Amino acid sequence: MSFMMDEIMEQPEALGRTLEAELNHARAFRAFAEKQDFRLIVLVARGTSDNAALFGRYLLEVTTGIPVSLCAPSVHTIYHARLRLRDTLVVGISQSGEGSDINIVLESARRQGAYTLGITNEARSGLARAVHEVFLARAGKQRSVAATKTYTTQLLLLYLLASALGPEITVRELSEIPKRAAAALKLASEVKELVERYRYMRQCVVVARGLNYANAFELALKLMETCYVVAERFSSADFLHGPIAMIERDFPVLAFMPPGRTFSGLRKLLERLKGLNAETLVITSEGVRLPAATRALRLPVDLPEIYTSIPYIIPGQIFAACLASIKGLDADKPRSLQMVTKTV
Amino acid sequence: MSFMMDEIMEQPEALGRTLEAELNHARAFRAFAEKQDFRLIVLVARGTSDNAALFGRYLLEVTTGIPVSLCAPSVHTIYHARLRLRDTLVVGISQSGEGSDINIVLESARRQGAYTLGITNEARSGLARAVHEVFLARAGKQRSVAATKTYTTQLLLLYLLASALGPEITVRELSEIPKRAAAALKLASEVKELVERYRYMRQCVVVARGLNYANAFELALKLMETCYVVAERFSSADFLHGPIAMIERDFPVLAFMPPGRTFSGLRKLLERLKGLNAETLVITSEGVRLPAATRALRLPVDLPEIYTSIPYIIPGQIFAACLASIKGLDADKPRSLQMVTKTV
C-alpha cells in the first residue's frame, strides 16, 4: 500500500486527536474574538491548503456573516501592496508551515495591523512562529507528497474557527466527524473496483457548489498530481458559463452532490450532461435515485449538508490513490514535485 | 470572418469610446469615494466578467490598498447568508446585466448596507436598475457568444475605478490604452500562421501571475468555449504546488510574460518546462531573448506592467478565434451555450 492510502485510512484518528486537542483552544478564542469584533477574514494558503481555505471561505461567510477574502499572495510578496487590515483576522494555512510566501504575507499582514492565526501540522514551523496564535493539526507526520489527512484536519480546524466566530457550528456535530469519516472509508473496496473503469481517463471535469466546491478543487488536484489526469474544476454555475461547451460523448464529469441546498441545481446539471452523453460519476449520501448518473458512490451515512465536506472528499482521495496505483504510478512521489514547495 | 474576430478588431474604438464617455464620471466618483472611505471592495460576476473581476482584484488591492474579496454568489443566492457589508463597495460586473444571480447578490448587498456599483454594457439592464451607480461600457452590441470587446472594456472601467480610489492609475496612461490595443491587433496575421501548429491541441495549461493572472483564466475560457480544448489555468506559483506533475513531453503551456515583477519567476518556470520537454508559447512585450520558449508572440509596443492586461489578452483572443476557425468550429455559437446564461 502507498503512504497516501495509509494516510487516508488514518483520518478518523487524526480528526479525533485534533478535535480533542484544540476544542478548549477554540472556546478560548471565542471570547477573544467577541472582544475583537473582526470585520474581515483573509485566508492565505497554497496548493491543498488553499483548497482548505476555499472551504473556509464558504463556511465562515455562511456561518458567521463576516466577509472573507482569499488572499492573492503576490499582492504582498511581489507587488508589496500595503493593505488596510485593521479589525481583520488573517488566517494562514500550511501543512508544513514552511511555505515562504504564506509566511511573508502573515508577517506583512501583522505589521499592517491584522490579527494573525496559523493552521498548521507543525508546531515548530516558520508559520507557527510568525503568527499571534496557532490552531494546531495533529495529523501526524505526512509521508506522502499528496496531502490527504492534513487537508481534512485543516477543514476540521476551520470548523472549529467557525464555531468560535458564530453560533451555527456546534461541538456536538463536530464530535460526529471522526465517525462519519470512518463511515466514508467503508467505500474503499467499492472505489477500488470502480476505478478500473477509469484506467484510461486522461482528462475530466470535477464540479460541485458551495460548501463542497473546495472538494472539487481538491479532488482535481489529487487527480492531477497523482494520476497526471488533466482535471478541470468548476462550480456547477460557472461551468454553465462557458466550459460546458467542452463536453462531448464520454467526457467524464465527477460531481459532489450532498443533500441540501446545492442538490437540485446539480441534479439539473446531471440531466443536461446525460443529454450530452457525458460520463458522470457522483459522490453523494442523498437517498434519492439518480437515473442520470452513469455511476454513483453513496456514503453509508446520514449527513447535514454543512458537515459533508470532510466525509465527501474521502472517496475522492481513495479514487485518486487507487487510480494512480492501477495506472502504475507512485502516488507518494509524483514526478516534478517535492514535499515542501517554496514559491514567492 | 466571425463576429468574434470582428469584435476583437473593434476593441480600440470600443475602448476609446468607453474611456471618453466615463472619464468625468470616474472623476466625480473619486470625490464621493473619498467621503465614503470604503474599507472593503467585493466584486461579483460570472464567466468572462468574473475573469475581469479577477483582474480587478489584483489591480484594486495593488493600487488602492483596500482589501478586495471575489464574491461567491451561492453564499447569497443559495445559503442566504447576511454579510456585514457596511463601508463596503460591492461591484457587479455583467456584459448583459441580466445574470440573475449577480443581480440577486447586488440587491441583497444593498439591503445589507453596501454601496453598489455596476459595470455593464447595457444601460437598461436589470443590473443597471439594481445598483446605486453604473459605470457603462460602450462596447457596442455583442453578437458573438464568446465575449472579447466586453472583457477589455470591463478591464478599462476597472482601471477607471482604480483611478478614482487611489493615486496610481493616471488618466494620461489610460488614454494610451486604445493605441496599445491597436498595436496588439497588428499580431493578427502572425497569430493566424502560428495557430496551424496547434490544430490538434486537445488540452493545455495557461499560466500567468499577478495582474495577468486573469488573462490566463480568460484565454483558457476562450479556448474551452470556442475550441473545446481542455484548458487549465494557474498562477505560475500555484502551478508548482501540484499541477506541474501533469506536464510531460509536448504538453502545451501558454504563458503571459509581461515585463516587470512577474517576469523572472515566469522565466524560471519556462526553463523548468523546457527541461520537461513541454511545448511553450509565450505572449510578451519584453525585449530579452527567451531561448527556453518554443514559440513567442511579441507585442510591438512598450508597456509598463500595470497597463499590460488589455493589450496582452488580444493576441490570446485572436489565437482562440483562429484556432476555432481552423478546427472548423463556429466561434460565435459554441455548442451548449447561449448568449445570456442564467444561474442562481
Side-chain angles (χ1 to χ4, degrees), chain A residues 1 3-14 148-149 185-186 188-189 314 317-318:
Chain A
M1 231 171 37
F3 287 136
M4 183 180 175
M5 194 59 103
D6 289 343
E7 291 177 359
I8 290 168
M9 295 295 166
E10 288 166 24
Q11 289 179 107
E13 290 70 36
T148 53
K149 61 181 180 175
L185 285 174
K186 293 194 183 134
S189 59
I314 291 176
Q317 295 168 334
I318 300 170

Side-chain angles (χ1 to χ4, degrees), chain B residues 15-330:
Chain B
L15 291 162
R17 238 175 7 240
T18 301
L19 184 63
E20 196 181 351
E22 289 292 319
L23 200 52
N24 285 331
H25 185 177
R27 285 198 183 107
F29 188 72
R30 174 196 285 269
F32 173 76
E34 271 165 18
K35 271 187 298 178
Q36 290 284 313
D37 194 26
F38 295 116
R39 299 280 304 272
L40 173 66
I41 301 170
V42 175
L43 303 174
V44 50
R46 286 270 180 220
T48 289
S49 304
D50 201 31
N51 297 338
L54 185 56
F55 164 74
R57 184 276 145 75
Y58 284 85
L59 181 75
L60 292 166
E61 283 198 341
V62 167
T63 66
T64 75
I66 306 171
V68 178
S69 170
L70 292 169
C71 177
S74 68
V75 168
H76 303 261
T77 60
I78 291 189
Y79 296 105
H80 306 294
R82 296 184 55 81
L83 297 194
R84 297 171 58 178
L85 294 177
R86 206 157 39 85
D87 305 325
T88 299
L89 174 64
V90 176
V91 182
I93 311 176
S94 167
Q95 184 281 124
S96 69
E98 301 299 347
S100 33
D101 43 4
I102 307 309
N103 295 349
I104 291 170
V105 173
L106 287 166
E107 282 155 17
S108 143
R110 191 169 175 162
R111 281 196 303 274
Q112 284 156 53
Y115 189 81
T116 55
L117 190 150
I119 292 180
T120 178
N121 200 34
E122 297 294 342
R124 291 167 190 200
S125 57
L127 181 138
R129 285 193 302 275
V131 294
H132 289 99
E133 180 154 356
V134 175
F135 274 33
L136 189 63
R138 268 75 168 184
K141 193 173 164 50
Q142 179 181 320
R143 300 173 74 183
S144 167
V145 169
T148 53
K149 61 181 181 175
T150 53
Y151 174 69
T152 49
T153 49
Q154 287 167 350
L155 262 47
L156 179 71
L157 290 169
L158 287 162
Y159 277 117
L160 272 177
L161 181 60
S163 79
L165 295 173
E168 205 167 329
I169 300 300
T170 68
V171 171
R172 199 180 56 76
E173 287 283 353
L174 291 185
S175 64
E176 297 291 309
I177 286 179
K179 244 184 299 182
R180 289 167 172 168
L185 286 174
K186 293 193 182 133
L187 288 172
S189 57
E190 186 179 339
V191 174
K192 200 175 169 180
E193 274 175 43
L194 176 71
V195 96
E196 288 286 328
R197 181 176 178 91
Y198 301 92
R199 169 65 178 87
Y200 291 100
M201 180 171 79
R202 297 297 308 268
Q203 49 192 38
C204 72
V205 162
V206 191
V207 294
R209 187 104 200 257
L211 288 158
N212 271 271
Y213 181 42
N215 279 342
F217 273 66
E218 178 56 10
L219 174 51
L221 181 57
K222 290 284 108 42
L223 291 170
M224 287 188 270
E225 62 186 0
T226 68
C227 306
Y228 314 149
V229 171
V230 180
E232 298 255 19
R233 54 272 182 270
F234 299 103
S235 105
S236 48
D238 287 326
F239 185 54
L240 298 171
H241 286 261
I244 196 171
M246 291 184 300
I247 302 302
E248 54 199 8
R249 173 174 292 281
D250 297 341
F251 197 109
V253 179
L254 286 53
F256 290 96
M257 287 183 64
R261 298 180 193 235
T262 67
F263 189 80
S264 73
L266 277 153
R267 181 146 69 169
K268 269 185 217 141
L269 174 61
L270 211 60
E271 282 154 13
R272 192 146 166 218
L273 290 168
K274 188 181 168 69
L276 298 170
N277 299 302
E279 160 99 11
T280 51
L281 167 58
V282 168
I283 295 176
T284 189
S285 57
E286 172 67 63
V288 303
R289 285 186 61 245
L290 290 168
T294 317
R295 289 288 183 276
L297 284 168
R298 287 183 190 275
L299 287 91
V301 58
D302 240 355
L303 296 169
E305 183 198 350
I306 202 160
Y307 295 105
T308 51
S309 299
I310 290 176
Y312 270 52
I313 193 57
I314 291 176
Q317 295 168 335
I318 301 171
F319 185 91
C322 292
L323 186 60
S325 170
I326 65 165
K327 281 178 178 265
L329 301 170
D330 183 353

Side-chain angles (χ1 to χ4, degrees), chain A residues 293-338:
Chain A
T294 317
R295 289 288 185 275
L297 284 167
R298 289 185 188 271
L299 286 90
V301 57
D302 239 355
L303 296 168
E305 184 199 350
I306 204 161
Y307 296 105
T308 51
S309 299
I310 290 175
Y312 270 53
I313 193 58
I314 291 176
Q317 295 168 334
I318 300 170
F319 185 90
C322 292
L323 186 59
S325 170
I326 66 164
K327 280 178 179 268
L329 301 170
D330 182 353
D332 296 333
K333 289 187 191 123
R335 61 187 179 196
S336 311
L337 296 185
Q338 296 85 40

